[in-house]
Amino acid sequence: REKDDKYKTWMPKFLTAKEDKDQRKSSDDVQRSWFPFFKKSNAEKSKKMEKEEKIFRETFMYDKDINVISTAIAECSVPSKRRVDLPLTAGEQLDVIDVTEGSAVICRNSEGRYGYVLVEHLNFR
């Protein structure tokens, strides 16, 4: 090593000279994504939700606007017996979309799936 290096004072990286900073990439050149997996999962989730809504509208022949009337919690787990029934797990939160004649309501779960649920399986807040 040269003698100059021996007597060089130590400086932390954040206190480096402006010349060194200019040589590095500026923050404008680098596009950072702090949580890229959130964006990806949200995009995938929204596509899945749109697909489920399309299937729901075709199956139920539902042409009204989808508005959440109320929220309810499933009291027990119930498997779906028909294609139009929504399978439930105990404690699952559901959005009530529409009330039908009889004891069933149309609900949407957190995954975006729609189907009929009997009122007796729900606990309204």
Side-chain angles (χ1 to χ4, degrees):
R1 290 201 271 176
E2 296 178 15
K3 290 182 180 181
D4 294 338
D5 288 341
K6 187 176 180 182
Y7 297 106
K8 190 174 182 180
T9 58
W10 177 82
M11 291 184 67
K13 281 199 172 217
F14 60 88
L15 295 177
T16 56
K18 278 190 174 182
E19 298 165 358
D20 294 340
K21 285 184 181 179
D22 292 338
Q23 290 175 357
R24 287 185 262 148
K25 288 185 179 181
S26 68
S27 61
D28 296 335
D29 296 340
V30 180
Q31 292 182 353
R32 290 189 182 181
S33 177
W34 292 99
F35 302 105
F37 52 90
F38 284 135
K39 287 183 181 178
K40 186 176 180 182
S41 65
N42 285 343
E44 289 174 1
K45 193 172 184 178
S46 65
K47 283 182 183 178
K48 185 177 179 183
M49 296 276 274
E50 288 174 8
K51 182 180 175 185
E52 290 290 341
E53 183 179 335
K54 184 179 178 184
I55 292 169
F56 162 69
R57 288 187 182 278
E58 290 172 358
T59 306
F60 289 78
M61 291 181 270
Y62 196 85
D63 53 355
K64 301 182 223 173
D65 289 336
I66 296 176
N67 295 322
V68 177
I69 299 170
S70 177
T71 58
I73 295 178
E75 290 182 337
C76 57
S77 297
V78 180
S80 63
K81 296 177 184 174
R82 302 177 298 168
R83 183 176 173 215
V84 293
D85 292 335
L86 185 64
L88 299 176
T89 55
E92 180 180 21
Q93 183 174 352
L94 303 170
D95 295 331
V96 179
I97 303 299
D98 201 358
V99 180
T100 61
E101 294 178 15
S103 62
V105 292
I106 298 174
C107 293
R108 176 178 61 196
N109 65 7
S110 60
E111 296 173 359
R113 292 191 61 203
Y114 295 84
Y116 288 115
V117 178
L118 294 176
V119 177
E120 57 202 44
H121 298 301
L122 299 177
N123 181 13
F124 293 91
R125 294 186 198 186

